[in-house]
Amino acid sequence: YPNVLSSIQYERQLSASGPTRGKVLRPSDNQKPKRVAWLQCVGSRDASHDYCSAVCCMYATKQATMSKGHWPEIDMEIFIMDVRSFSKGYEAYYKNARDKLGVRYTRSRVSKIIQDPKTLNLILRYMDRSESANGNTQERIREESFDMVVLSVGMEIDESTKQLAQRLNVEVDANGFCKTVQYDPLQTSRAGIYA
């Protein structure tokens, strides 16, 4: 669908040197969106990629924060499995986006995207879990319409990077990422080579 963008495409739209000169526009009609959704963990944390890419939550939060800074009237919602804001200052950044800027974080995996043929809006179907006043959890399938959807794509190791690690004799983990020392994450298995 034309109004589904990868996170890199959205990032380019936010850039002053990008194709839209820093304005967020729907590709289908070049109009400013009223509602934008981010879908987290796309292509990761699944049967083929059971790891967290460790950057997607924060770049989605950054993109939503920047968008809210320029266009506070745009409704932003990030669909998450959980939030991984683990580095220094990241939790405060996430809470600021959620509590002060009004970026909504919805804990649910979107099961389907349907394009409305008339408006080219995107209808997201997901399981909504909410807690009632008496503490019971209620579940229902919801459908909501968004003008744009951004896919927060998980990272994979490129084949050329795997080959470089082999040539340098640097250990990699089961997923092909550089194996590092737990409390010194720049250190690799070879002295003088850093991640």
Side-chain angles (χ1 to χ4, degrees):
Y1 303 133
N3 295 320
V4 176
L5 284 73
S6 71
S7 50
I8 293 172
Q9 290 170 313
Y10 193 86
E11 187 76 24
R12 289 298 298 143
Q13 279 203 359
L14 286 174
S15 175
S17 64
T20 58
R21 306 244 189 256
K23 295 177 184 163
V24 173
L25 300 174
R26 284 169 32 118
S28 66
D29 57 13
N30 288 321
Q31 297 299 308
K32 183 171 72 172
K34 294 177 182 73
R35 296 191 79 203
V36 180
W38 278 260
L39 307 186
Q40 298 304 102
C41 304
V42 174
S44 66
R45 298 179 73 184
D46 60 21
S48 301
H49 306 89
D50 64 350
Y51 55 86
C52 170
S53 286
V55 296
C56 310
C57 287
M58 294 317 298
Y59 74 59
T61 298
K62 180 199 79 151
Q63 289 174 346
T65 297
M66 288 179 65
S67 299
K68 276 288 196 185
H70 293 297
W71 309 281
E73 70 280 4
I74 296 179
D75 184 26
M76 307 277 170
E77 187 160 359
I78 300 176
F79 289 87
I80 59 169
M81 289 175 68
D82 52 24
V83 174
R84 302 281 176 105
S85 54
F86 57 86
S87 196
K88 189 174 184 178
Y90 286 7
E91 185 73 9
Y93 192 73
Y94 150 69
K95 286 181 177 178
N96 181 66
R98 183 190 67 194
D99 300 338
K100 294 186 178 163
L101 299 177
V103 175
R104 283 194 325 283
Y105 289 81
T106 301
R107 189 176 305 273
S108 185
R109 297 287 305 244
V110 172
S111 63
K112 192 172 197 175
I113 301 175
I114 304 164
Q115 180 177 261
D116 181 324
K118 292 181 182 147
T119 64
L120 300 185
N121 282 354
L122 302 152
I123 300 158
L124 304 185
R125 180 179 292 163
Y126 64 97
M127 180 67 71
D128 180 33
R129 291 178 181 90
S130 56
E131 196 170 302
S132 62
N134 63 6
N136 293 332
T137 301
Q138 297 176 327
E139 294 182 339
R140 64 186 174 122
I141 294 176
R142 290 192 61 184
E143 289 188 351
E144 282 191 70
S145 178
F146 291 86
D147 300 300
M148 282 175 60
V149 170
V150 181
L151 304 178
S152 290
V153 182
M155 292 190 296
E156 272 188 325
I157 296 300
D158 188 69
E159 193 56 40
S160 65
T161 304
K162 290 177 186 177
Q163 292 168 4
L164 177 62
Q166 272 186 327
R167 284 196 313 272
L168 295 174
N169 198 26
V170 171
E171 282 186 63
V172 295
D173 66 17
N175 298 308
F177 291 95
C178 189
K179 200 175 217 177
T180 59
V181 177
Q182 185 174 5
Y183 296 112
D184 195 359
L186 300 181
Q187 294 292 329
T188 67
S189 60
R190 278 205 50 206
I193 298 179
Y194 303 97

